[in-house]
Amino acid sequence: MKRMTKEFLETAFAGESMAHMRYLAFADQAEEKDLVNLARMFRAIAFAEQVHATNHYREMGHIKDTAANLQTCIDGEHFEVTEMYPVYNNAAEFQGETGAVRSTRYAFEAEKIHEKMYTDAKQVVEDGKDLEIGTVHICPICGFTAEGDAPESCPVCGAKREMFKSF
Ligand code: FE2
Ligand code: FE2
Ligand code: FE2
């Protein structure tokens, strides 16, 4: 792909991805205000933005074979754990931004687990198999990720087991 087209698609991918997330967050806010139809519209349009983002991502050739896709995930999570979140957390600390200190710590803690899960998964996939994993539980407050049994309470933020979202 020509360089400028590639750069434009990367930018479009980032923009569509952000719109997707923004609309989902706004849908939750609308639902809390009992604006259920507005929430539904937000979620529908969020899905359309997901389609746009995915189309751009595919055209750039970023969706490869499974092992390569998992390596992309490992690299991303590894960067977040070893560079990005430690630095962002320090910067937030330095500037006295307690909310950002918390949100970056929450992410940091979960990304460590994600890197491990993706690394283990890549091994299994390279052996030509699918994963043998139980239910995956996600803390809706901090993103803490647990496989198998959900903890009584989240070890990172203390949220109760009942709140966890299961996959
Ligand atoms: Fe869009
Ligand atoms: Fe992650
Ligand atoms: Fe949590």
mmCIF file of all heavy atoms in Angstrom, residues 15-59:
data_model
loop_
_atom_site.group_PDB
_atom_site.id
_atom_site.type_symbol
_atom_site.label_atom_id
_atom_site.label_comp_id
_atom_site.label_asym_id
_atom_site.label_seq_id
_atom_site.Cartn_x
_atom_site.Cartn_y
_atom_site.Cartn_z
ATOM 1 N N GLY A 15 -9.118 6.923 14.801
ATOM 2 C CA GLY A 15 -10.297 7.762 15.016
ATOM 3 C C GLY A 15 -11.565 6.938 15.178
ATOM 4 O O GLY A 15 -12.366 7.186 16.084
ATOM 5 N N GLU A 16 -11.754 5.950 14.308
ATOM 6 C CA GLU A 16 -12.947 5.090 14.383
ATOM 7 C C GLU A 16 -12.943 4.273 15.677
ATOM 8 O O GLU A 16 -13.991 4.065 16.294
ATOM 9 C CB GLU A 16 -13.008 4.148 13.171
ATOM 10 C CG GLU A 16 -13.154 4.845 11.822
ATOM 11 C CD GLU A 16 -14.558 5.380 11.560
ATOM 12 O OE1 GLU A 16 -15.433 5.263 12.430
ATOM 13 O OE2 GLU A 16 -14.768 5.945 10.465
ATOM 14 N N SER A 17 -11.758 3.813 16.081
ATOM 15 C CA SER A 17 -11.650 3.038 17.326
ATOM 16 C C SER A 17 -12.060 3.890 18.520
ATOM 17 O O SER A 17 -12.773 3.424 19.416
ATOM 18 C CB SER A 17 -10.212 2.542 17.526
ATOM 19 O OG SER A 17 -9.808 1.724 16.450
ATOM 20 N N MET A 18 -11.601 5.126 18.513
ATOM 21 C CA MET A 18 -11.948 6.026 19.617
ATOM 22 C C MET A 18 -13.436 6.356 19.608
ATOM 23 O O MET A 18 -14.070 6.407 20.658
ATOM 24 C CB MET A 18 -11.093 7.288 19.560
ATOM 25 C CG MET A 18 -9.665 7.022 19.998
ATOM 26 S SD MET A 18 -8.699 8.538 20.178
ATOM 27 C CE MET A 18 -8.215 8.819 18.487
ATOM 28 N N ALA A 19 -13.994 6.571 18.420
ATOM 29 C CA ALA A 19 -15.429 6.869 18.321
ATOM 30 C C ALA A 19 -16.227 5.681 18.873
ATOM 31 O O ALA A 19 -17.196 5.867 19.620
ATOM 32 C CB ALA A 19 -15.808 7.158 16.876
ATOM 33 N N HIS A 20 -15.810 4.490 18.504
ATOM 34 C CA HIS A 20 -16.463 3.269 19.003
ATOM 35 C C HIS A 20 -16.519 3.273 20.533
ATOM 36 O O HIS A 20 -17.588 3.092 21.132
ATOM 37 C CB HIS A 20 -15.682 2.039 18.497
ATOM 38 C CG HIS A 20 -16.086 0.752 19.116
ATOM 39 N ND1 HIS A 20 -17.258 0.106 18.797
ATOM 40 C CD2 HIS A 20 -15.478 -0.013 20.054
ATOM 41 C CE1 HIS A 20 -17.359 -0.997 19.511
ATOM 42 N NE2 HIS A 20 -16.295 -1.099 20.280
ATOM 43 N N MET A 21 -15.387 3.501 21.159
ATOM 44 C CA MET A 21 -15.315 3.494 22.618
ATOM 45 C C MET A 21 -16.091 4.646 23.253
ATOM 46 O O MET A 21 -16.776 4.470 24.257
ATOM 47 C CB MET A 21 -13.852 3.574 23.073
ATOM 48 C CG MET A 21 -13.098 2.293 22.956
ATOM 49 S SD MET A 21 -14.006 0.922 23.695
ATOM 50 C CE MET A 21 -14.256 1.562 25.355
ATOM 51 N N ARG A 22 -15.971 5.808 22.629
ATOM 52 C CA ARG A 22 -16.664 6.991 23.139
ATOM 53 C C ARG A 22 -18.183 6.760 23.153
ATOM 54 O O ARG A 22 -18.853 7.036 24.139
ATOM 55 C CB ARG A 22 -16.332 8.142 22.172
ATOM 56 C CG ARG A 22 -16.194 9.487 22.786
ATOM 57 C CD ARG A 22 -15.751 10.483 21.723
ATOM 58 N NE ARG A 22 -14.308 10.546 21.576
ATOM 59 C CZ ARG A 22 -13.647 10.547 20.428
ATOM 60 N NH1 ARG A 22 -14.290 10.467 19.271
ATOM 61 N NH2 ARG A 22 -12.343 10.642 20.414
ATOM 62 N N TYR A 23 -18.703 6.208 22.055
ATOM 63 C CA TYR A 23 -20.147 6.002 21.962
ATOM 64 C C TYR A 23 -20.629 4.961 22.971
ATOM 65 O O TYR A 23 -21.720 5.091 23.529
ATOM 66 C CB TYR A 23 -20.545 5.579 20.539
ATOM 67 C CG TYR A 23 -20.219 6.614 19.473
ATOM 68 C CD1 TYR A 23 -20.256 6.281 18.126
ATOM 69 C CD2 TYR A 23 -19.869 7.924 19.817
ATOM 70 C CE1 TYR A 23 -19.951 7.218 17.154
ATOM 71 C CE2 TYR A 23 -19.560 8.861 18.848
ATOM 72 C CZ TYR A 23 -19.593 8.508 17.516
ATOM 73 O OH TYR A 23 -19.287 9.429 16.554
ATOM 74 N N LEU A 24 -19.815 3.943 23.218
ATOM 75 C CA LEU A 24 -20.199 2.944 24.224
ATOM 76 C C LEU A 24 -20.239 3.561 25.615
ATOM 77 O O LEU A 24 -21.141 3.285 26.412
ATOM 78 C CB LEU A 24 -19.226 1.750 24.200
ATOM 79 C CG LEU A 24 -19.285 0.841 22.967
ATOM 80 C CD1 LEU A 24 -18.265 -0.287 23.108
ATOM 81 C CD2 LEU A 24 -20.690 0.271 22.766
ATOM 82 N N ALA A 25 -19.261 4.400 25.905
ATOM 83 C CA ALA A 25 -19.231 5.077 27.212
ATOM 84 C C ALA A 25 -20.439 6.009 27.343
ATOM 85 O O ALA A 25 -21.077 6.079 28.403
ATOM 86 C CB ALA A 25 -17.925 5.857 27.373
ATOM 87 N N PHE A 26 -20.766 6.709 26.246
ATOM 88 C CA PHE A 26 -21.916 7.616 26.277
ATOM 89 C C PHE A 26 -23.227 6.825 26.395
ATOM 90 O O PHE A 26 -24.187 7.289 27.010
ATOM 91 C CB PHE A 26 -21.946 8.497 25.017
ATOM 92 C CG PHE A 26 -20.798 9.474 24.922
ATOM 93 C CD1 PHE A 26 -20.517 10.125 23.726
ATOM 94 C CD2 PHE A 26 -19.998 9.763 26.024
ATOM 95 C CE1 PHE A 26 -19.466 11.035 23.633
ATOM 96 C CE2 PHE A 26 -18.939 10.670 25.940
ATOM 97 C CZ PHE A 26 -18.674 11.311 24.732
ATOM 98 N N ALA A 27 -23.254 5.637 25.802
ATOM 99 C CA ALA A 27 -24.448 4.784 25.909
ATOM 100 C C ALA A 27 -24.698 4.409 27.368
ATOM 101 O O ALA A 27 -25.843 4.457 27.844
ATOM 102 C CB ALA A 27 -24.275 3.524 25.063
ATOM 103 N N ASP A 28 -23.633 4.046 28.072
ATOM 104 C CA ASP A 28 -23.773 3.705 29.499
ATOM 105 C C ASP A 28 -24.311 4.898 30.281
ATOM 106 O O ASP A 28 -25.188 4.752 31.142
ATOM 107 C CB ASP A 28 -22.423 3.267 30.091
ATOM 108 C CG ASP A 28 -21.989 1.901 29.572
ATOM 109 O OD1 ASP A 28 -22.825 1.181 28.984
ATOM 110 O OD2 ASP A 28 -20.815 1.547 29.762
ATOM 111 N N GLN A 29 -23.777 6.088 29.963
ATOM 112 C CA GLN A 29 -24.224 7.295 30.667
ATOM 113 C C GLN A 29 -25.701 7.551 30.381
ATOM 114 O O GLN A 29 -26.479 7.865 31.287
ATOM 115 C CB GLN A 29 -23.368 8.496 30.244
ATOM 116 C CG GLN A 29 -23.611 9.776 31.036
ATOM 117 C CD GLN A 29 -24.784 10.612 30.512
ATOM 118 O OE1 GLN A 29 -25.256 10.413 29.391
ATOM 119 N NE2 GLN A 29 -25.263 11.523 31.349
ATOM 120 N N ALA A 30 -26.096 7.409 29.124
ATOM 121 C CA ALA A 30 -27.497 7.643 28.741
ATOM 122 C C ALA A 30 -28.415 6.628 29.437
ATOM 123 O O ALA A 30 -29.493 6.983 29.918
ATOM 124 C CB ALA A 30 -27.644 7.553 27.223
ATOM 125 N N GLU A 31 -27.960 5.389 29.488
ATOM 126 C CA GLU A 31 -28.775 4.346 30.131
ATOM 127 C C GLU A 31 -28.974 4.625 31.615
ATOM 128 O O GLU A 31 -30.058 4.408 32.153
ATOM 129 C CB GLU A 31 -28.120 2.977 29.931
ATOM 130 C CG GLU A 31 -29.065 1.823 30.217
ATOM 131 C CD GLU A 31 -28.551 0.526 29.606
ATOM 132 O OE1 GLU A 31 -28.867 0.278 28.422
ATOM 133 O OE2 GLU A 31 -27.846 -0.195 30.296
ATOM 134 N N GLU A 32 -27.916 5.146 32.250
ATOM 135 C CA GLU A 32 -28.044 5.509 33.672
ATOM 136 C C GLU A 32 -29.099 6.598 33.879
ATOM 137 O O GLU A 32 -29.689 6.707 34.947
ATOM 138 C CB GLU A 32 -26.691 5.988 34.225
ATOM 139 C CG GLU A 32 -25.757 4.837 34.589
ATOM 140 C CD GLU A 32 -24.317 5.297 34.803
ATOM 141 O OE1 GLU A 32 -24.115 6.500 35.094
ATOM 142 O OE2 GLU A 32 -23.414 4.451 34.667
ATOM 143 N N LYS A 33 -29.330 7.401 32.854
ATOM 144 C CA LYS A 33 -30.344 8.457 32.921
ATOM 145 C C LYS A 33 -31.682 7.970 32.364
ATOM 146 O O LYS A 33 -32.551 8.791 32.033
ATOM 147 C CB LYS A 33 -29.873 9.694 32.141
ATOM 148 C CG LYS A 33 -28.581 10.304 32.646
ATOM 149 C CD LYS A 33 -28.754 10.951 34.007
ATOM 150 C CE LYS A 33 -27.413 11.390 34.568
ATOM 151 N NZ LYS A 33 -27.477 11.667 36.018
ATOM 152 N N ASP A 34 -31.822 6.648 32.197
ATOM 153 C CA ASP A 34 -33.051 6.034 31.674
ATOM 154 C C ASP A 34 -33.386 6.446 30.241
ATOM 155 O O ASP A 34 -34.546 6.389 29.827
ATOM 156 C CB ASP A 34 -34.247 6.334 32.591
ATOM 157 C CG ASP A 34 -34.121 5.595 33.914
ATOM 158 O OD1 ASP A 34 -33.632 4.442 33.902
ATOM 159 O OD2 ASP A 34 -34.483 6.171 34.955
ATOM 160 N N LEU A 35 -32.396 6.890 29.494
ATOM 161 C CA LEU A 35 -32.618 7.229 28.085
ATOM 162 C C LEU A 35 -32.265 5.991 27.256
ATOM 163 O O LEU A 35 -31.247 5.944 26.566
ATOM 164 C CB LEU A 35 -31.747 8.433 27.689
ATOM 165 C CG LEU A 35 -31.982 9.700 28.529
ATOM 166 C CD1 LEU A 35 -30.921 10.757 28.257
ATOM 167 C CD2 LEU A 35 -33.377 10.269 28.237
ATOM 168 N N VAL A 36 -33.134 4.972 27.363
ATOM 169 C CA VAL A 36 -32.784 3.667 26.796
ATOM 170 C C VAL A 36 -32.692 3.679 25.271
ATOM 171 O O VAL A 36 -31.854 2.969 24.693
ATOM 172 C CB VAL A 36 -33.763 2.552 27.256
ATOM 173 C CG1 VAL A 36 -33.600 2.275 28.739
ATOM 174 C CG2 VAL A 36 -35.198 2.913 26.935
ATOM 175 N N ASN A 37 -33.528 4.470 24.624
ATOM 176 C CA ASN A 37 -33.458 4.501 23.158
ATOM 177 C C ASN A 37 -32.218 5.252 22.665
ATOM 178 O O ASN A 37 -31.612 4.873 21.665
ATOM 179 C CB ASN A 37 -34.731 5.093 22.570
ATOM 180 C CG ASN A 37 -35.879 4.103 22.648
ATOM 181 O OD1 ASN A 37 -35.662 2.891 22.583
ATOM 182 N ND2 ASN A 37 -37.085 4.605 22.826
ATOM 183 N N LEU A 38 -31.867 6.308 23.387
ATOM 184 C CA LEU A 38 -30.628 7.017 23.038
ATOM 185 C C LEU A 38 -29.446 6.074 23.233
ATOM 186 O O LEU A 38 -28.539 6.019 22.392
ATOM 187 C CB LEU A 38 -30.461 8.280 23.893
ATOM 188 C CG LEU A 38 -29.166 9.063 23.643
ATOM 189 C CD1 LEU A 38 -29.089 9.554 22.197
ATOM 190 C CD2 LEU A 38 -29.061 10.248 24.607
ATOM 191 N N ALA A 39 -29.470 5.317 24.329
ATOM 192 C CA ALA A 39 -28.394 4.354 24.593
ATOM 193 C C ALA A 39 -28.300 3.338 23.460
ATOM 194 O O ALA A 39 -27.212 2.992 22.996
ATOM 195 C CB ALA A 39 -28.642 3.645 25.920
ATOM 196 N N ARG A 40 -29.458 2.904 22.992
ATOM 197 C CA ARG A 40 -29.501 1.927 21.898
ATOM 198 C C ARG A 40 -28.907 2.531 20.623
ATOM 199 O O ARG A 40 -28.153 1.872 19.901
ATOM 200 C CB ARG A 40 -30.950 1.490 21.682
ATOM 201 C CG ARG A 40 -31.171 0.407 20.650
ATOM 202 C CD ARG A 40 -32.562 -0.202 20.802
ATOM 203 N NE ARG A 40 -33.640 0.793 20.728
ATOM 204 C CZ ARG A 40 -34.174 1.263 19.600
ATOM 205 N NH1 ARG A 40 -33.727 0.820 18.439
ATOM 206 N NH2 ARG A 40 -35.149 2.154 19.636
ATOM 207 N N MET A 41 -29.244 3.782 20.360
ATOM 208 C CA MET A 41 -28.680 4.435 19.172
ATOM 209 C C MET A 41 -27.163 4.558 19.297
ATOM 210 O O MET A 41 -26.420 4.280 18.353
ATOM 211 C CB MET A 41 -29.295 5.813 18.963
ATOM 212 C CG MET A 41 -28.919 6.444 17.629
ATOM 213 S SD MET A 41 -29.490 8.155 17.447
ATOM 214 C CE MET A 41 -28.247 9.025 18.394
ATOM 215 N N PHE A 42 -26.679 4.956 20.470
ATOM 216 C CA PHE A 42 -25.229 5.040 20.701
ATOM 217 C C PHE A 42 -24.559 3.692 20.415
ATOM 218 O O PHE A 42 -23.527 3.633 19.750
ATOM 219 C CB PHE A 42 -24.934 5.435 22.157
ATOM 220 C CG PHE A 42 -24.862 6.918 22.412
ATOM 221 C CD1 PHE A 42 -25.543 7.487 23.491
ATOM 222 C CD2 PHE A 42 -24.073 7.744 21.608
ATOM 223 C CE1 PHE A 42 -25.451 8.852 23.756
ATOM 224 C CE2 PHE A 42 -23.976 9.116 21.868
ATOM 225 C CZ PHE A 42 -24.663 9.668 22.944
ATOM 226 N N ARG A 43 -25.173 2.614 20.926
ATOM 227 C CA ARG A 43 -24.549 1.290 20.768
ATOM 228 C C ARG A 43 -24.577 0.836 19.318
ATOM 229 O O ARG A 43 -23.625 0.212 18.843
ATOM 230 C CB ARG A 43 -25.238 0.258 21.670
ATOM 231 C CG ARG A 43 -24.996 0.546 23.141
ATOM 232 C CD ARG A 43 -25.137 -0.655 24.058
ATOM 233 N NE ARG A 43 -24.767 -0.239 25.418
ATOM 234 C CZ ARG A 43 -25.639 0.074 26.383
ATOM 235 N NH1 ARG A 43 -26.946 -0.029 26.157
ATOM 236 N NH2 ARG A 43 -25.214 0.471 27.564
ATOM 237 N N ALA A 44 -25.656 1.157 18.607
ATOM 238 C CA ALA A 44 -25.751 0.780 17.198
ATOM 239 C C ALA A 44 -24.682 1.503 16.382
ATOM 240 O O ALA A 44 -23.961 0.883 15.579
ATOM 241 C CB ALA A 44 -27.144 1.113 16.661
ATOM 242 N N ILE A 45 -24.555 2.799 16.606
ATOM 243 C CA ILE A 45 -23.566 3.565 15.846
ATOM 244 C C ILE A 45 -22.151 3.163 16.257
ATOM 245 O O ILE A 45 -21.244 3.107 15.411
ATOM 246 C CB ILE A 45 -23.838 5.086 15.977
ATOM 247 C CG1 ILE A 45 -25.207 5.404 15.336
ATOM 248 C CG2 ILE A 45 -22.726 5.910 15.327
ATOM 249 C CD1 ILE A 45 -25.649 6.850 15.423
ATOM 250 N N ALA A 46 -21.972 2.835 17.530
ATOM 251 C CA ALA A 46 -20.663 2.339 17.984
ATOM 252 C C ALA A 46 -20.267 1.092 17.197
ATOM 253 O O ALA A 46 -19.106 0.922 16.821
ATOM 254 C CB ALA A 46 -20.694 2.015 19.478
ATOM 255 N N PHE A 47 -21.258 0.239 16.915
ATOM 256 C CA PHE A 47 -20.971 -0.975 16.150
ATOM 257 C C PHE A 47 -20.555 -0.624 14.725
ATOM 258 O O PHE A 47 -19.629 -1.217 14.159
ATOM 259 C CB PHE A 47 -22.180 -1.921 16.148
ATOM 260 C CG PHE A 47 -21.984 -3.131 15.281
ATOM 261 C CD1 PHE A 47 -21.013 -4.081 15.595
ATOM 262 C CD2 PHE A 47 -22.732 -3.311 14.132
ATOM 263 C CE1 PHE A 47 -20.791 -5.179 14.789
ATOM 264 C CE2 PHE A 47 -22.525 -4.406 13.306
ATOM 265 C CZ PHE A 47 -21.553 -5.348 13.634
ATOM 266 N N ALA A 48 -21.233 0.378 14.142
ATOM 267 C CA ALA A 48 -20.857 0.810 12.787
ATOM 268 C C ALA A 48 -19.413 1.308 12.767
ATOM 269 O O ALA A 48 -18.654 1.029 11.827
ATOM 270 C CB ALA A 48 -21.808 1.899 12.291
ATOM 271 N N GLU A 49 -19.020 2.043 13.810
ATOM 272 C CA GLU A 49 -17.632 2.536 13.870
ATOM 273 C C GLU A 49 -16.652 1.375 14.023
ATOM 274 O O GLU A 49 -15.541 1.420 13.487
ATOM 275 C CB GLU A 49 -17.448 3.540 15.022
ATOM 276 C CG GLU A 49 -18.481 4.658 15.116
ATOM 277 C CD GLU A 49 -18.761 5.434 13.840
ATOM 278 O OE1 GLU A 49 -18.192 5.121 12.779
ATOM 279 O OE2 GLU A 49 -19.588 6.361 13.904
ATOM 280 N N GLN A 50 -17.091 0.347 14.722
ATOM 281 C CA GLN A 50 -16.254 -0.859 14.855
ATOM 282 C C GLN A 50 -16.048 -1.495 13.473
ATOM 283 O O GLN A 50 -14.937 -1.925 13.129
ATOM 284 C CB GLN A 50 -16.906 -1.868 15.803
ATOM 285 C CG GLN A 50 -16.099 -3.145 15.974
ATOM 286 C CD GLN A 50 -16.828 -4.185 16.821
ATOM 287 O OE1 GLN A 50 -17.739 -3.856 17.577
ATOM 288 N NE2 GLN A 50 -16.414 -5.416 16.700
ATOM 289 N N VAL A 51 -17.129 -1.533 12.684
ATOM 290 C CA VAL A 51 -17.032 -2.073 11.322
ATOM 291 C C VAL A 51 -16.045 -1.244 10.497
ATOM 292 O O VAL A 51 -15.166 -1.792 9.817
ATOM 293 C CB VAL A 51 -18.425 -2.091 10.642
ATOM 294 C CG1 VAL A 51 -18.307 -2.435 9.160
ATOM 295 C CG2 VAL A 51 -19.354 -3.074 11.356
ATOM 296 N N HIS A 52 -16.151 0.082 10.590
ATOM 297 C CA HIS A 52 -15.234 0.939 9.834
ATOM 298 C C HIS A 52 -13.791 0.705 10.264
ATOM 299 O O HIS A 52 -12.892 0.563 9.433
ATOM 300 C CB HIS A 52 -15.595 2.421 10.046
ATOM 301 C CG HIS A 52 -16.965 2.769 9.569
ATOM 302 N ND1 HIS A 52 -17.663 3.856 10.021
ATOM 303 C CD2 HIS A 52 -17.779 2.142 8.683
ATOM 304 C CE1 HIS A 52 -18.846 3.903 9.426
ATOM 305 N NE2 HIS A 52 -18.935 2.866 8.619
ATOM 306 N N ALA A 53 -13.576 0.673 11.585
ATOM 307 C CA ALA A 53 -12.220 0.472 12.105
ATOM 308 C C ALA A 53 -11.658 -0.867 11.629
ATOM 309 O O ALA A 53 -10.508 -0.951 11.186
ATOM 310 C CB ALA A 53 -12.227 0.538 13.637
ATOM 311 N N THR A 54 -12.490 -1.903 11.689
ATOM 312 C CA THR A 54 -12.042 -3.235 11.284
ATOM 313 C C THR A 54 -11.717 -3.279 9.799
ATOM 314 O O THR A 54 -10.723 -3.884 9.382
ATOM 315 C CB THR A 54 -13.118 -4.288 11.633
ATOM 316 O OG1 THR A 54 -13.442 -4.171 13.018
ATOM 317 C CG2 THR A 54 -12.631 -5.705 11.354
ATOM 318 N N ASN A 55 -12.548 -2.621 8.989
ATOM 319 C CA ASN A 55 -12.282 -2.574 7.548
ATOM 320 C C ASN A 55 -10.932 -1.912 7.252
ATOM 321 O O ASN A 55 -10.143 -2.416 6.456
ATOM 322 C CB ASN A 55 -13.396 -1.821 6.816
ATOM 323 C CG ASN A 55 -14.679 -2.634 6.725
ATOM 324 O OD1 ASN A 55 -14.661 -3.850 6.896
ATOM 325 N ND2 ASN A 55 -15.787 -1.974 6.452
ATOM 326 N N HIS A 56 -10.671 -0.774 7.907
ATOM 327 C CA HIS A 56 -9.384 -0.090 7.695
ATOM 328 C C HIS A 56 -8.231 -1.000 8.135
ATOM 329 O O HIS A 56 -7.215 -1.099 7.456
ATOM 330 C CB HIS A 56 -9.313 1.214 8.507
ATOM 331 C CG HIS A 56 -10.360 2.225 8.138
ATOM 332 N ND1 HIS A 56 -10.852 2.370 6.854
ATOM 333 C CD2 HIS A 56 -11.003 3.163 8.892
ATOM 334 C CE1 HIS A 56 -11.747 3.359 6.840
ATOM 335 N NE2 HIS A 56 -11.858 3.849 8.058
ATOM 336 N N TYR A 57 -8.426 -1.624 9.276
ATOM 337 C CA TYR A 57 -7.366 -2.467 9.857
ATOM 338 C C TYR A 57 -7.039 -3.634 8.919
ATOM 339 O O TYR A 57 -5.870 -3.953 8.686
ATOM 340 C CB TYR A 57 -7.831 -2.995 11.218
ATOM 341 C CG TYR A 57 -6.705 -3.477 12.104
ATOM 342 C CD1 TYR A 57 -5.765 -2.582 12.614
ATOM 343 C CD2 TYR A 57 -6.583 -4.823 12.446
ATOM 344 C CE1 TYR A 57 -4.731 -3.009 13.430
ATOM 345 C CE2 TYR A 57 -5.561 -5.266 13.269
ATOM 346 C CZ TYR A 57 -4.638 -4.354 13.757
ATOM 347 O OH TYR A 57 -3.610 -4.793 14.557
ATOM 348 N N ARG A 58 -8.085 -4.228 8.359
ATOM 349 C CA ARG A 58 -7.894 -5.354 7.430
ATOM 350 C C ARG A 58 -7.187 -4.900 6.162
ATOM 351 O O ARG A 58 -6.258 -5.555 5.692
ATOM 352 C CB ARG A 58 -9.251 -5.990 7.092
ATOM 353 C CG ARG A 58 -9.118 -7.258 6.241
ATOM 354 C CD ARG A 58 -10.449 -7.851 5.813
ATOM 355 N NE ARG A 58 -11.327 -8.158 6.948
ATOM 356 C CZ ARG A 58 -12.388 -7.438 7.312
ATOM 357 N NH1 ARG A 58 -12.737 -6.359 6.619
ATOM 358 N NH2 ARG A 58 -13.120 -7.792 8.345
ATOM 359 N N GLU A 59 -7.630 -3.753 5.624
ATOM 360 C CA GLU A 59 -7.021 -3.252 4.379
ATOM 361 C C GLU A 59 -5.533 -2.978 4.543
ATOM 362 O O GLU A 59 -4.768 -3.087 3.600
ATOM 363 C CB GLU A 59 -7.742 -1.989 3.891
ATOM 364 C CG GLU A 59 -9.142 -2.245 3.341
ATOM 365 C CD GLU A 59 -9.190 -3.277 2.222
ATOM 366 O OE1 GLU A 59 -8.229 -3.333 1.424
ATOM 367 O OE2 GLU A 59 -10.160 -4.046 2.162
#
